[in-house]
Amino acid sequence: MPLTLVTIPCLDDNYAFLIANDVGEAALVDAPEAAPINAELAARGWTLKTVLLTHHHWDHVEGLDGLTGRDSLTVIGAKADAHRLPLLTQDVSEGDSFTLLGEEVRVFDVSGHTLGHIAFHMPASELLFTADSLMALGCGRLFEGTPAQMHTSLSKLAVLPPETLVCSGHEYTAANARFAVTVDPQNAALAQRVADITETRAKGGFTVPATLALELATNPFLRAHDPNIKATIGLPDSSDVDSFTKLRAMKDAF
Ligand code: ZN
Ligand code: FE
């Protein structure tokens, strides 16, 4: 039985994700704010059982204590970050897998934005929860890790099945698009996506999640190897890591 995915806008521009099975058992990925998550659970008649945390930043964990049924929740997060996450009932590391709502979840270390940031992949449902690692048309800012670390992290996700839905943590896509077109101006798929984003946002819609295939075709941070991008940013003969490093620095200054 397929799982149901619901995207919940929280705070100014965060997303939380609920997934549920056909008997209304639900799991949450990140807890930016309790009220909209509790409201969604109540409206659908779902019972929250499990919370997956991607990283320790306040805008991903602050809502945890206010969640309905808090005392009986299983809370899963990175072992490497256990010292600065809310109290976990289960800690996980890269390469671990566990069962959630009857499906396998695989854990990736995607450090870069923070050290200890993890992503959760559910192969059967083709869902990937990336928070502030791989984002729609972008990647998270490097608060703790190096560009090389983020490049390695994104490279792990880039090889997953292209139909995978990338569920990232923020609605930053329009701003990411403004930067992306400056470094990849000849990319027709990107131009089309930018038009789609403009239309979606004008109607108040979400640009998250998006397929990995679309990210591979348009996200400059997955395309640091692309000869046109390298030439545009003035590094025609550079390594992919150097190209990525420059892209990240250019975005920070954009
Ligand atoms: Zn963050
Ligand atoms: Fe965040």
Side-chain angles (χ1 to χ4, degrees), residues 14 55 57 59-60 113 132 169-170 172:
N14 277 77
H55 68 297
H57 281 161
D59 62 313
H60 298 257
H113 177 69
D132 300 354
H170 291 267
Y172 289 164

Side-chain angles (χ1 to χ4, degrees), residues 20-94:
N21 61 18
D22 59 336
V23 295
E25 295 170 331
L28 173 72
V29 182
D30 282 346
E33 184 182 17
I37 297 165
N38 290 337
E40 193 71 44
L41 288 165
R44 292 176 180 268
W46 289 349
T47 304
L48 186 62
K49 300 278 190 184
T50 308
V51 180
L52 311 183
L53 298 176
T54 59
H55 68 297
H56 74 284
H57 281 161
W58 73 272
D59 62 313
H60 298 257
V61 303
E62 186 99 323
L64 184 66
D65 282 337
L67 292 173
T68 307
R70 167 69 178 103
D71 291 343
S72 56
L73 293 176
T74 297
V75 181
I76 302 174
K79 185 171 194 171
D81 247 357
H83 62 287
R84 55 184 182 174
L85 286 167
L87 195 60
L88 301 176
T89 58
Q90 188 178 342
D91 58 40
V92 293
S93 303
E94 165 126 320

Side-chain angles (χ1 to χ4, degrees), residues 72-202:
S72 56
L73 293 176
T74 297
V75 181
I76 302 174
K79 185 171 194 171
D81 247 357
H83 62 287
R84 55 184 182 174
L85 286 167
L87 195 60
L88 301 176
T89 58
Q90 188 178 342
D91 58 40
V92 293
S93 303
E94 165 126 320
D96 286 352
S97 62
F98 57 93
T99 302
L100 182 73
L101 305 172
E103 285 194 14
E104 182 192 24
V105 182
R106 295 181 185 164
V107 178
F108 289 91
D109 179 299
V110 288
S111 289
H113 177 69
T114 62
L115 298 178
H117 192 310
I118 53 176
F120 300 96
H121 180 217
M122 301 183 73
S125 284
E126 300 182 315
L127 297 173
L128 177 64
F129 298 98
T130 59
D132 300 354
S133 58
L134 175 60
M135 307 183 87
L137 274 186
C139 72
R141 237 171 227 276
L142 302 177
F143 288 112
E144 298 181 358
T146 64
Q149 269 173 325
M150 182 62 101
H151 183 252
T152 299
S153 295
L154 299 192
S155 301
K156 297 176 196 173
L157 306 181
V159 297
L160 296 175
E163 53 280 6
T164 304
L165 264 188
V166 180
C167 304
S168 54
H170 291 267
E171 183 60 61
Y172 289 164
T173 321
N176 289 343
R178 286 192 284 280
F179 171 72
V181 295
T182 67
V183 295
D184 201 6
Q186 289 138 24
N187 184 337
L190 174 59
Q192 180 59 54
R193 188 177 185 186
V194 173
D196 293 344
I197 289 163
T198 305
E199 196 183 323
T200 299
R201 293 304 291 155

